[in-house]
Amino acid sequence: MKVLTPKGEQLELLTVNMGPSHPATHGTLRVFCALDGETIVASMCEMGYLHRGFEKMVEQGTYTMVLPYTDRLNYCSAMMNNIGFCKAVEKMFAVTVPERCVVLRVILCELSRIIDHLVCVGANLVDLGALTNFWYFFNPREAVYKIWEKLCGARLTNTVTRIGGFYRDTYPGFEDDVRAVLVQIEGAIKDVRGLIEHNKIFLDRTRDVCVVSKEDAISWGWTGPCLRASGVDHDIRKQEPYYGYDTYAWDTVIGTKGDTYDRIMIRIFEMLESISITRQALDRLKPGPINTNDARLTLPDRNRVYHDMEALINSFKLIYEGVRPPPGECYDATEAANGELGFFIVSDGGTNPYRIKARPPCLTQFAAFGPMTEGTMIADAFGTLGSINIIAGELDR
Amino acid sequence: MSAPHIDTPTIPSAAPGIPLAKDALLALVRERIEVEPDPSDRWDLTVVVASGRLRDLMRFLRDDPRLRMDVLLDIAGVDYLAFPGHRDARFAVVYLLKSLAFNHRIKVKVRVEEEALEIPSIHDCWKIADWMERECWDQLGIVFKGHPNLKRLLNHHQFVGHPLRKDYPCQKRQKLTVNDPMVDQLQLRLRQLGYTVLSEGEIHAPAVRGGTPGEVVGTGDKGMQDPDLTTGTQVGDMKRSVL
């Protein structure tokens, strides 16, 4: 493509199409860019290759049927999506879940955050040519998946929560397994930090690469680790605390420059904070009910169903019709691994959701990807793509 | 019902970090722009504004030192066609905003009549509004007037209709036969950056076989390279509106 630069020089640009099935895109994303040598001059992104119509599908079933679909949004930390959706519906009912359920949700959320960051950082380092870290991080990730398997039978798509509580309580020995895996994760983080922190190749390829200023990050609607990397002190767990996150001792990790280095390092240090929160939550985990006793949400006890007419009707109604939130429009958000995961729910008082709009955190980050990589080398652009952690399942819905 | 006239502001300006209560927020907004609280939001604050005042309201929410709603979280379109007992306009667009300084949130709703499916674009107020408006147009067919590049975001470029409308059949599939070359998009971007495009050259797709503009290029599947292919091809099959 022949162009005139803003300075009036004639330039021959090479147009290159990356993706949708390019290994460096970690999914199906398309980046169409114009190159001057190896430098990106202009770049446009196309998404939607994994679009399955999440928002249309969820209108066809009951609220409980939405849960398996939410697993498939950010499939690297499926439980956080389950919990985010349940919390939004629980807000509509104005029910509070029991203490054990809250603490268990905190533990599962933080473990999910850790495995999400493990995948993000591990794969990002592979993009930069550092393969060993990937194995160091995927071993503890596998150990967490073993816990998920014992907990609910599924590894990737867990559907472990229910509106008003959980599918079932934990298994005996859950606490010990979690404590053991936390030690393993700490070891892996130590190993990886040892490999990258003083590594000249890593530092050269990440420092001052694709810097996003505070103002730009806010204007792009960034949330989560990427926003914090740009130096904005904002975490929903701190600023609008839910599930008692304000009662745990932990710190928000904030970057200084907003470059790829910050975005990677923030995730590494956030894992350490999550480990600390998980340990404190394990200390608080006391036996007790895991489901709310609100009859609109929770199935009655089996013994009562067989001997009590009202309980039988209640059970049938909940199975056949599901929960019925009061009519209205409600938005609720949680701090997922990638940023603010929100659900805007419109209820007409019926059994099926009238409209659900998911707010995927990585859409805002991918929208910025084209402009933020303009002016950088093409190889660094893909290092950056890993650092903003695009999960196609949640991006394309 | 008109907004109450406030001579002297009765709302104390919040110290940083302290979110304003729902009523205080509403009163503050009503000082400047006529809005109605939406009774269907029983949990937080949604204000309904006329589409003509939308841009003023959004700028005010973003820039007022007492509000500072600096993050546009999402733009959600709703089709009320099948909503029981709904009498207002068929569509509504809901803007979700949040303040990083004060941690308060607000939703702004604009009702859109089916006969005049057009509301002003706010792409120049937040960078992210560009893509969010594209998604809303793609899914519900609401036109954002003044948007520089109102193309589909989630569905493919040959898609007809808007899947999140309540009269769009859930099971309907639409195949993609020819991929979007995106050359016009890239040229638009180059022009935005101050470049002048003199001529189109060859387009290289390192991940796949190359092609030339006009033909199908860089789709990741050799089946897509055949310009005579008229049957539904498998690439882009994932990119359909509804499963």
Side-chain angles (χ1 to χ4, degrees), chain B residues 53-111:
Chain B
R53 297 305 305 276
L54 174 72
R55 286 176 59 84
D56 295 338
L57 175 63
M58 294 305 248
R59 285 221 188 87
F60 170 65
L61 289 174
R62 188 190 63 180
D63 298 333
D64 189 271
R66 295 162 300 176
L67 292 166
R68 287 174 62 187
M69 301 282 186
D70 35 17
V71 183
L72 174 66
L73 286 170
D74 209 349
I75 299 179
V78 186
D79 177 7
Y80 290 101
L81 184 69
F83 199 91
H86 184 77
R87 289 178 202 288
D88 274 317
R90 177 174 167 185
F91 295 102
V93 179
V94 183
Y95 298 80
L96 308 169
L97 298 171
K98 133 171 133 171
S99 162
L100 292 175
F102 301 115
N103 306 317
H104 46 220
R105 289 166 186 264
I106 196 168
K107 297 195 228 20
V108 175
K109 190 188 241 184
V110 184
R111 298 196 192 281

Short mmCIF file of all heavy atoms in Angstrom, two decimals, chain B residues 53-111:
data_model
loop_
_atom_site.label_atom_id
_atom_site.label_comp_id
_atom_site.label_asym_id
_atom_site.label_seq_id
_atom_site.Cartn_x
_atom_site.Cartn_y
_atom_site.Cartn_z
N ARG B 53 -30.67 15.36 24.90
CA ARG B 53 -29.81 15.85 25.97
C ARG B 53 -28.73 14.84 26.37
O ARG B 53 -27.99 15.08 27.32
CB ARG B 53 -30.64 16.19 27.23
CG ARG B 53 -31.65 17.30 27.07
CD ARG B 53 -31.08 18.62 26.57
NE ARG B 53 -29.96 19.19 27.34
CZ ARG B 53 -30.08 19.93 28.43
NH1 ARG B 53 -31.26 20.17 28.94
NH2 ARG B 53 -29.01 20.43 29.04
N LEU B 54 -28.68 13.70 25.66
CA LEU B 54 -27.77 12.63 26.08
C LEU B 54 -26.32 13.09 26.15
O LEU B 54 -25.63 12.91 27.15
CB LEU B 54 -27.89 11.43 25.13
CG LEU B 54 -26.88 10.31 25.39
CD1 LEU B 54 -27.22 9.57 26.66
CD2 LEU B 54 -26.80 9.34 24.23
N ARG B 55 -25.87 13.74 25.08
CA ARG B 55 -24.45 14.13 25.04
C ARG B 55 -24.12 15.15 26.13
O ARG B 55 -23.07 15.05 26.78
CB ARG B 55 -24.10 14.69 23.66
CG ARG B 55 -23.99 13.60 22.59
CD ARG B 55 -23.74 14.20 21.22
NE ARG B 55 -22.53 14.99 21.19
CZ ARG B 55 -21.31 14.49 20.99
NH1 ARG B 55 -21.16 13.19 20.82
NH2 ARG B 55 -20.25 15.27 20.98
N ASP B 56 -25.05 16.08 26.38
CA ASP B 56 -24.82 17.05 27.46
C ASP B 56 -24.72 16.33 28.80
O ASP B 56 -23.84 16.62 29.62
CB ASP B 56 -25.98 18.05 27.52
CG ASP B 56 -26.04 18.91 26.28
OD1 ASP B 56 -24.98 19.01 25.62
OD2 ASP B 56 -27.11 19.44 25.98
N LEU B 57 -25.64 15.39 29.00
CA LEU B 57 -25.66 14.69 30.28
C LEU B 57 -24.38 13.88 30.48
O LEU B 57 -23.78 13.92 31.55
CB LEU B 57 -26.89 13.77 30.35
CG LEU B 57 -26.97 12.88 31.59
CD1 LEU B 57 -27.11 13.72 32.85
CD2 LEU B 57 -28.12 11.91 31.50
N MET B 58 -23.97 13.17 29.43
CA MET B 58 -22.78 12.34 29.56
C MET B 58 -21.55 13.18 29.85
O MET B 58 -20.72 12.83 30.68
CB MET B 58 -22.56 11.51 28.29
CG MET B 58 -23.64 10.49 28.04
SD MET B 58 -23.91 9.39 29.42
CE MET B 58 -23.34 7.87 28.76
N ARG B 59 -21.43 14.33 29.17
CA ARG B 59 -20.28 15.20 29.42
C ARG B 59 -20.33 15.75 30.84
O ARG B 59 -19.32 15.83 31.52
CB ARG B 59 -20.29 16.36 28.42
CG ARG B 59 -19.85 15.93 27.06
CD ARG B 59 -18.92 17.00 26.45
NE ARG B 59 -18.65 16.67 25.07
CZ ARG B 59 -19.43 17.06 24.07
NH1 ARG B 59 -20.51 17.77 24.31
NH2 ARG B 59 -19.13 16.73 22.84
N PHE B 60 -21.54 16.10 31.28
CA PHE B 60 -21.69 16.64 32.63
C PHE B 60 -21.31 15.57 33.67
O PHE B 60 -20.56 15.85 34.60
CB PHE B 60 -23.15 17.09 32.83
CG PHE B 60 -23.50 17.43 34.24
CD1 PHE B 60 -22.90 18.52 34.88
CD2 PHE B 60 -24.42 16.67 34.95
CE1 PHE B 60 -23.23 18.83 36.19
CE2 PHE B 60 -24.75 16.98 36.26
CZ PHE B 60 -24.15 18.07 36.88
N LEU B 61 -21.81 14.36 33.47
CA LEU B 61 -21.49 13.28 34.41
C LEU B 61 -20.00 13.02 34.47
O LEU B 61 -19.43 12.77 35.52
CB LEU B 61 -22.22 11.99 34.01
CG LEU B 61 -23.72 11.96 34.21
CD1 LEU B 61 -24.29 10.68 33.62
CD2 LEU B 61 -24.08 12.04 35.68
N ARG B 62 -19.35 13.11 33.31
CA ARG B 62 -17.93 12.80 33.25
C ARG B 62 -17.09 13.91 33.88
O ARG B 62 -16.12 13.64 34.59
CB ARG B 62 -17.52 12.61 31.79
CG ARG B 62 -16.11 12.10 31.61
CD ARG B 62 -15.70 12.17 30.16
NE ARG B 62 -15.70 13.54 29.68
CZ ARG B 62 -15.39 13.91 28.44
NH1 ARG B 62 -15.08 13.00 27.54
NH2 ARG B 62 -15.39 15.18 28.08
N ASP B 63 -17.48 15.17 33.64
CA ASP B 63 -16.59 16.27 33.98
C ASP B 63 -16.90 16.98 35.30
O ASP B 63 -16.05 17.68 35.83
CB ASP B 63 -16.59 17.32 32.85
CG ASP B 63 -16.07 16.71 31.55
OD1 ASP B 63 -15.29 15.76 31.64
OD2 ASP B 63 -16.46 17.19 30.48
N ASP B 64 -18.13 16.86 35.80
CA ASP B 64 -18.47 17.58 37.02
C ASP B 64 -17.59 17.09 38.17
O ASP B 64 -17.50 15.89 38.42
CB ASP B 64 -19.95 17.37 37.36
CG ASP B 64 -20.38 18.29 38.48
OD1 ASP B 64 -20.24 17.89 39.66
OD2 ASP B 64 -20.83 19.39 38.18
N PRO B 65 -16.94 18.01 38.90
CA PRO B 65 -16.02 17.58 39.96
C PRO B 65 -16.71 16.82 41.09
O PRO B 65 -16.05 16.10 41.83
CB PRO B 65 -15.40 18.89 40.45
CG PRO B 65 -16.30 19.97 39.96
CD PRO B 65 -16.93 19.47 38.71
N ARG B 66 -18.02 17.00 41.23
CA ARG B 66 -18.70 16.27 42.31
C ARG B 66 -19.15 14.89 41.86
O ARG B 66 -19.51 14.05 42.67
CB ARG B 66 -19.93 17.08 42.78
CG ARG B 66 -19.56 18.40 43.41
CD ARG B 66 -20.76 19.31 43.45
NE ARG B 66 -21.26 19.59 42.12
CZ ARG B 66 -22.36 20.30 41.87
NH1 ARG B 66 -23.08 20.76 42.86
NH2 ARG B 66 -22.74 20.54 40.62
N LEU B 67 -19.18 14.66 40.55
CA LEU B 67 -19.66 13.36 40.05
C LEU B 67 -18.50 12.51 39.52
O LEU B 67 -18.30 11.39 39.94
CB LEU B 67 -20.68 13.57 38.94
CG LEU B 67 -22.01 14.16 39.38
CD1 LEU B 67 -22.79 14.64 38.19
CD2 LEU B 67 -22.81 13.12 40.15
N ARG B 68 -17.77 13.06 38.57
CA ARG B 68 -16.60 12.42 37.96
C ARG B 68 -16.84 10.95 37.59
O ARG B 68 -16.10 10.06 37.99
CB ARG B 68 -15.39 12.55 38.87
CG ARG B 68 -14.85 13.94 38.87
CD ARG B 68 -13.75 14.15 39.85
NE ARG B 68 -12.58 13.33 39.58
CZ ARG B 68 -11.55 13.25 40.40
NH1 ARG B 68 -11.54 13.92 41.51
NH2 ARG B 68 -10.51 12.51 40.10
N MET B 69 -17.89 10.73 36.83
CA MET B 69 -18.18 9.38 36.33
C MET B 69 -17.24 9.13 35.16
O MET B 69 -17.62 9.28 33.99
CB MET B 69 -19.63 9.30 35.85
CG MET B 69 -20.64 9.60 36.91
SD MET B 69 -20.83 8.18 37.98
CE MET B 69 -22.17 8.73 39.01
N ASP B 70 -16.00 8.79 35.44
CA ASP B 70 -14.99 8.77 34.38
C ASP B 70 -14.90 7.46 33.60
O ASP B 70 -14.21 7.41 32.60
CB ASP B 70 -13.62 9.19 34.91
CG ASP B 70 -13.38 8.72 36.33
OD1 ASP B 70 -14.10 7.82 36.77
OD2 ASP B 70 -12.48 9.26 36.99
N VAL B 71 -15.55 6.41 34.05
CA VAL B 71 -15.45 5.15 33.31
C VAL B 71 -16.80 4.81 32.68
O VAL B 71 -17.81 4.75 33.37
CB VAL B 71 -15.01 3.98 34.22
CG1 VAL B 71 -14.84 2.72 33.42
CG2 VAL B 71 -13.71 4.32 34.92
N LEU B 72 -16.78 4.60 31.38
CA LEU B 72 -17.97 4.07 30.69
C LEU B 72 -17.80 2.55 30.69
O LEU B 72 -16.93 2.01 30.01
CB LEU B 72 -18.06 4.61 29.26
CG LEU B 72 -19.17 4.02 28.41
CD1 LEU B 72 -20.54 4.41 28.94
CD2 LEU B 72 -19.04 4.47 26.97
N LEU B 73 -18.61 1.89 31.50
CA LEU B 73 -18.42 0.44 31.66
C LEU B 73 -19.02 -0.35 30.51
O LEU B 73 -18.43 -1.31 30.04
CB LEU B 73 -19.07 -0.02 32.97
CG LEU B 73 -18.32 0.34 34.23
CD1 LEU B 73 -19.18 0.04 35.43
CD2 LEU B 73 -17.02 -0.41 34.32
N ASP B 74 -20.21 0.04 30.11
CA ASP B 74 -20.86 -0.76 29.07
C ASP B 74 -22.03 0.02 28.49
O ASP B 74 -22.53 0.96 29.11
CB ASP B 74 -21.37 -2.08 29.67
CG ASP B 74 -21.39 -3.19 28.63
OD1 ASP B 74 -21.21 -2.88 27.44
OD2 ASP B 74 -21.60 -4.35 29.00
N ILE B 75 -22.43 -0.39 27.29
CA ILE B 75 -23.65 0.14 26.68
C ILE B 75 -24.53 -1.08 26.39
O ILE B 75 -24.12 -1.96 25.64
CB ILE B 75 -23.36 0.93 25.39
CG1 ILE B 75 -22.45 2.13 25.70
CG2 ILE B 75 -24.64 1.39 24.75
CD1 ILE B 75 -22.07 2.95 24.48
N ALA B 76 -25.67 -1.13 27.02
CA ALA B 76 -26.55 -2.29 26.86
C ALA B 76 -27.84 -1.85 26.19
O ALA B 76 -28.50 -0.93 26.67
CB ALA B 76 -26.84 -2.92 28.22
N GLY B 77 -28.18 -2.50 25.10
CA GLY B 77 -29.46 -2.21 24.45
C GLY B 77 -30.49 -3.22 24.90
O GLY B 77 -30.18 -4.38 25.14
N VAL B 78 -31.73 -2.78 25.03
CA VAL B 78 -32.80 -3.68 25.42
C VAL B 78 -33.96 -3.51 24.45
O VAL B 78 -34.30 -2.39 24.08
CB VAL B 78 -33.30 -3.38 26.87
CG1 VAL B 78 -34.30 -4.42 27.32
CG2 VAL B 78 -32.14 -3.31 27.84
N ASP B 79 -34.55 -4.63 24.03
CA ASP B 79 -35.74 -4.62 23.19
C ASP B 79 -36.92 -5.03 24.06
O ASP B 79 -36.96 -6.15 24.56
CB ASP B 79 -35.55 -5.61 22.03
CG ASP B 79 -36.79 -5.69 21.15
OD1 ASP B 79 -37.72 -4.89 21.37
OD2 ASP B 79 -36.82 -6.55 20.24
N TYR B 80 -37.88 -4.11 24.26
CA TYR B 80 -39.00 -4.40 25.17
C TYR B 80 -40.22 -4.96 24.45
O TYR B 80 -41.30 -4.97 24.99
CB TYR B 80 -39.40 -3.12 25.93
CG TYR B 80 -38.38 -2.68 26.94
CD1 TYR B 80 -37.50 -1.65 26.67
CD2 TYR B 80 -38.31 -3.31 28.18
CE1 TYR B 80 -36.56 -1.25 27.61
CE2 TYR B 80 -37.37 -2.91 29.12
CZ TYR B 80 -36.51 -1.89 28.82
OH TYR B 80 -35.58 -1.50 29.75
N LEU B 81 -40.02 -5.46 23.23
CA LEU B 81 -41.15 -5.92 22.42
C LEU B 81 -42.02 -6.94 23.17
O LEU B 81 -43.24 -6.88 23.11
CB LEU B 81 -40.62 -6.54 21.12
CG LEU B 81 -41.68 -6.99 20.12
CD1 LEU B 81 -42.40 -5.80 19.53
CD2 LEU B 81 -41.05 -7.82 19.01
N ALA B 82 -41.41 -7.88 23.87
CA ALA B 82 -42.17 -8.95 24.52
C ALA B 82 -42.30 -8.71 26.02
O ALA B 82 -42.70 -9.61 26.75
CB ALA B 82 -41.46 -10.28 24.27
N PHE B 83 -41.95 -7.52 26.49
CA PHE B 83 -42.01 -7.27 27.93
C PHE B 83 -43.46 -7.07 28.35
O PHE B 83 -44.15 -6.22 27.78
CB PHE B 83 -41.18 -6.03 28.27
CG PHE B 83 -40.80 -5.94 29.72
CD1 PHE B 83 -39.61 -6.50 30.16
CD2 PHE B 83 -41.63 -5.32 30.64
CE1 PHE B 83 -39.24 -6.43 31.49
CE2 PHE B 83 -41.28 -5.25 31.98
CZ PHE B 83 -40.08 -5.80 32.41
N PRO B 84 -43.95 -7.85 29.32
CA PRO B 84 -45.36 -7.74 29.67
C PRO B 84 -45.73 -6.35 30.18
O PRO B 84 -45.06 -5.82 31.06
CB PRO B 84 -45.54 -8.79 30.79
CG PRO B 84 -44.24 -9.45 30.99
CD PRO B 84 -43.22 -8.83 30.12
N GLY B 85 -46.77 -5.77 29.58
CA GLY B 85 -47.29 -4.49 30.04
C GLY B 85 -46.43 -3.29 29.70
O GLY B 85 -46.63 -2.22 30.25
N HIS B 86 -45.48 -3.46 28.76
CA HIS B 86 -44.62 -2.33 28.44
C HIS B 86 -45.32 -1.39 27.46
O HIS B 86 -45.85 -1.81 26.45
CB HIS B 86 -43.32 -2.85 27.82
CG HIS B 86 -42.32 -1.77 27.55
ND1 HIS B 86 -41.55 -1.21 28.54
CD2 HIS B 86 -41.97 -1.13 26.41
CE1 HIS B 86 -40.78 -0.28 28.01
NE2 HIS B 86 -41.01 -0.20 26.73
N ARG B 87 -45.35 -0.10 27.80
CA ARG B 87 -46.07 0.87 26.96
C ARG B 87 -45.16 1.90 26.33
O ARG B 87 -45.55 2.59 25.41
CB ARG B 87 -47.12 1.60 27.80
CG ARG B 87 -48.28 0.71 28.16
CD ARG B 87 -49.28 1.44 29.04
NE ARG B 87 -50.08 0.48 29.79
CZ ARG B 87 -51.01 -0.28 29.25
NH1 ARG B 87 -51.28 -0.19 27.97
NH2 ARG B 87 -51.69 -1.13 30.00
N ASP B 88 -43.94 2.02 26.84
CA ASP B 88 -43.03 3.04 26.32
C ASP B 88 -42.46 2.63 24.97
O ASP B 88 -42.91 1.66 24.36
CB ASP B 88 -41.89 3.25 27.32
CG ASP B 88 -42.26 4.26 28.38
OD1 ASP B 88 -42.85 5.28 27.99
OD2 ASP B 88 -42.00 4.00 29.57
N ALA B 89 -41.43 3.35 24.57
CA ALA B 89 -40.75 3.04 23.31
C ALA B 89 -40.25 1.60 23.31
O ALA B 89 -39.96 1.04 24.36
CB ALA B 89 -39.58 3.99 23.12
N ARG B 90 -40.12 1.02 22.08
CA ARG B 90 -39.76 -0.38 22.00
C ARG B 90 -38.34 -0.64 22.53
O ARG B 90 -38.09 -1.62 23.21
CB ARG B 90 -39.85 -0.86 20.55
CG ARG B 90 -39.39 -2.29 20.40
CD ARG B 90 -39.61 -2.85 19.02
NE ARG B 90 -38.87 -4.11 18.88
CZ ARG B 90 -38.78 -4.79 17.76
NH1 ARG B 90 -39.36 -4.34 16.67
NH2 ARG B 90 -38.09 -5.91 17.72
N PHE B 91 -37.41 0.24 22.18
CA PHE B 91 -36.01 0.00 22.56
C PHE B 91 -35.55 0.96 23.65
O PHE B 91 -36.13 2.03 23.82
CB PHE B 91 -35.09 0.16 21.35
CG PHE B 91 -35.33 -0.84 20.27
CD1 PHE B 91 -36.04 -0.50 19.14
CD2 PHE B 91 -34.84 -2.13 20.39
CE1 PHE B 91 -36.27 -1.42 18.14
CE2 PHE B 91 -35.06 -3.06 19.39
CZ PHE B 91 -35.78 -2.71 18.26
N ALA B 92 -34.52 0.55 24.33
CA ALA B 92 -33.83 1.46 25.25
C ALA B 92 -32.35 1.14 25.19
O ALA B 92 -31.96 -0.01 24.96
CB ALA B 92 -34.36 1.29 26.66
N VAL B 93 -31.53 2.15 25.35
CA VAL B 93 -30.09 1.96 25.45
C VAL B 93 -29.68 2.42 26.85
O VAL B 93 -30.06 3.51 27.28
CB VAL B 93 -29.34 2.75 24.36
CG1 VAL B 93 -27.84 2.56 24.51
CG2 VAL B 93 -29.80 2.32 22.99
N VAL B 94 -28.97 1.55 27.54
CA VAL B 94 -28.57 1.85 28.92
C VAL B 94 -27.05 1.99 28.97
O VAL B 94 -26.33 1.10 28.54
CB VAL B 94 -29.04 0.74 29.89
CG1 VAL B 94 -28.68 1.11 31.32
CG2 VAL B 94 -30.53 0.52 29.77
N TYR B 95 -26.60 3.14 29.46
CA TYR B 95 -25.17 3.40 29.61
C TYR B 95 -24.81 3.19 31.07
O TYR B 95 -25.45 3.77 31.95
CB TYR B 95 -24.84 4.84 29.22
CG TYR B 95 -25.15 5.17 27.78
CD1 TYR B 95 -26.44 5.46 27.38
CD2 TYR B 95 -24.14 5.20 26.82
CE1 TYR B 95 -26.73 5.76 26.05
CE2 TYR B 95 -24.42 5.51 25.50
CZ TYR B 95 -25.71 5.78 25.12
OH TYR B 95 -25.99 6.07 23.81
N LEU B 96 -23.81 2.35 31.32
CA LEU B 96 -23.39 2.10 32.69
C LEU B 96 -22.12 2.89 32.97
O LEU B 96 -21.13 2.75 32.26
CB LEU B 96 -23.12 0.60 32.89
CG LEU B 96 -24.23 -0.36 32.47
CD1 LEU B 96 -23.72 -1.78 32.48
CD2 LEU B 96 -25.40 -0.24 33.39
N LEU B 97 -22.19 3.73 34.00
CA LEU B 97 -21.05 4.58 34.32
C LEU B 97 -20.62 4.37 35.76
O LEU B 97 -21.43 4.02 36.62
CB LEU B 97 -21.42 6.06 34.14
CG LEU B 97 -21.83 6.53 32.76
CD1 LEU B 97 -22.36 7.94 32.85
CD2 LEU B 97 -20.64 6.49 31.85
N LYS B 98 -19.34 4.62 35.99
CA LYS B 98 -18.85 4.53 37.36
C LYS B 98 -17.76 5.56 37.57
O LYS B 98 -17.09 5.97 36.64
CB LYS B 98 -18.37 3.09 37.59
CG LYS B 98 -17.05 2.89 38.24
CD LYS B 98 -16.85 1.44 38.56
CE LYS B 98 -15.45 1.02 38.11
NZ LYS B 98 -15.07 -0.30 38.56
N SER B 99 -17.63 5.98 38.81
CA SER B 99 -16.62 6.97 39.16
C SER B 99 -15.48 6.28 39.91
O SER B 99 -15.71 5.58 40.89
CB SER B 99 -17.24 8.04 40.04
OG SER B 99 -16.23 8.74 40.71
N LEU B 100 -14.28 6.47 39.41
CA LEU B 100 -13.13 5.88 40.10
C LEU B 100 -12.80 6.64 41.37
O LEU B 100 -12.29 6.09 42.33
CB LEU B 100 -11.90 5.87 39.19
CG LEU B 100 -11.95 4.96 37.97
CD1 LEU B 100 -10.71 5.16 37.12
CD2 LEU B 100 -12.07 3.51 38.38
N ALA B 101 -13.10 7.95 41.38
CA ALA B 101 -12.74 8.76 42.54
C ALA B 101 -13.70 8.54 43.70
O ALA B 101 -13.30 8.47 44.85
CB ALA B 101 -12.73 10.24 42.14
N PHE B 102 -14.99 8.43 43.38
CA PHE B 102 -15.99 8.35 44.46
C PHE B 102 -16.62 6.97 44.59
O PHE B 102 -17.36 6.73 45.53
CB PHE B 102 -17.10 9.37 44.20
CG PHE B 102 -16.62 10.78 44.13
CD1 PHE B 102 -16.72 11.49 42.95
CD2 PHE B 102 -16.06 11.40 45.22
CE1 PHE B 102 -16.28 12.80 42.86
CE2 PHE B 102 -15.61 12.70 45.15
CZ PHE B 102 -15.71 13.40 43.97
N ASN B 103 -16.38 6.12 43.65
CA ASN B 103 -16.96 4.76 43.66
C ASN B 103 -18.48 4.75 43.56
O ASN B 103 -19.12 3.81 44.01
CB ASN B 103 -16.56 3.98 44.91
CG ASN B 103 -15.08 3.95 45.08
OD1 ASN B 103 -14.35 3.75 44.11
ND2 ASN B 103 -14.62 4.19 46.29
N HIS B 104 -19.08 5.82 43.05
CA HIS B 104 -20.53 5.69 42.83
C HIS B 104 -20.80 5.37 41.36
O HIS B 104 -19.96 5.58 40.50
CB HIS B 104 -21.32 6.92 43.31
CG HIS B 104 -20.76 8.24 42.92
ND1 HIS B 104 -20.73 9.31 43.75
CD2 HIS B 104 -20.18 8.64 41.77
CE1 HIS B 104 -20.19 10.33 43.13
NE2 HIS B 104 -19.84 9.96 41.93
N ARG B 105 -21.98 4.83 41.16
CA ARG B 105 -22.35 4.36 39.83
C ARG B 105 -23.68 4.98 39.44
O ARG B 105 -24.49 5.32 40.29
CB ARG B 105 -22.52 2.84 39.83
CG ARG B 105 -21.23 2.08 39.96
CD ARG B 105 -21.52 0.64 40.30
NE ARG B 105 -20.28 -0.08 40.58
CZ ARG B 105 -19.61 -0.81 39.70
NH1 ARG B 105 -20.07 -0.93 38.48
NH2 ARG B 105 -18.51 -1.43 40.04
N ILE B 106 -23.89 5.08 38.13
CA ILE B 106 -25.17 5.56 37.64
C ILE B 106 -25.44 4.87 36.31
O ILE B 106 -24.51 4.47 35.62
CB ILE B 106 -25.17 7.11 37.49
CG1 ILE B 106 -26.59 7.66 37.35
CG2 ILE B 106 -24.32 7.54 36.31
CD1 ILE B 106 -26.66 9.16 37.49
N LYS B 107 -26.71 4.68 36.01
CA LYS B 107 -27.08 4.15 34.69
C LYS B 107 -27.91 5.25 34.00
O LYS B 107 -28.76 5.87 34.63
CB LYS B 107 -27.93 2.89 34.82
CG LYS B 107 -27.23 1.73 35.49
CD LYS B 107 -28.00 0.46 35.23
CE LYS B 107 -28.29 -0.43 36.39
NZ LYS B 107 -28.28 -0.09 37.73
N VAL B 108 -27.61 5.44 32.75
CA VAL B 108 -28.35 6.43 31.98
C VAL B 108 -29.14 5.69 30.91
O VAL B 108 -28.57 4.89 30.16
CB VAL B 108 -27.40 7.45 31.33
CG1 VAL B 108 -28.16 8.39 30.44
CG2 VAL B 108 -26.65 8.22 32.40
N LYS B 109 -30.42 5.95 30.87
CA LYS B 109 -31.25 5.23 29.90
C LYS B 109 -31.84 6.21 28.89
O LYS B 109 -32.31 7.29 29.27
CB LYS B 109 -32.38 4.53 30.66
CG LYS B 109 -33.18 3.56 29.82
CD LYS B 109 -34.38 3.07 30.60
CE LYS B 109 -34.33 1.59 30.78
NZ LYS B 109 -35.53 1.07 31.44
N VAL B 110 -31.77 5.80 27.63
CA VAL B 110 -32.39 6.59 26.58
C VAL B 110 -33.42 5.68 25.90
O VAL B 110 -33.09 4.58 25.48
CB VAL B 110 -31.36 7.06 25.53
CG1 VAL B 110 -32.01 7.95 24.50
CG2 VAL B 110 -30.22 7.79 26.20
N ARG B 111 -34.64 6.15 25.83
CA ARG B 111 -35.65 5.35 25.14
C ARG B 111 -35.58 5.64 23.63
O ARG B 111 -35.40 6.79 23.23
CB ARG B 111 -37.04 5.68 25.67
CG ARG B 111 -37.18 5.36 27.14
CD ARG B 111 -38.64 5.32 27.55
NE ARG B 111 -38.77 5.29 28.99
CZ ARG B 111 -38.59 4.20 29.73
NH1 ARG B 111 -38.27 3.06 29.16
NH2 ARG B 111 -38.72 4.25 31.05
#
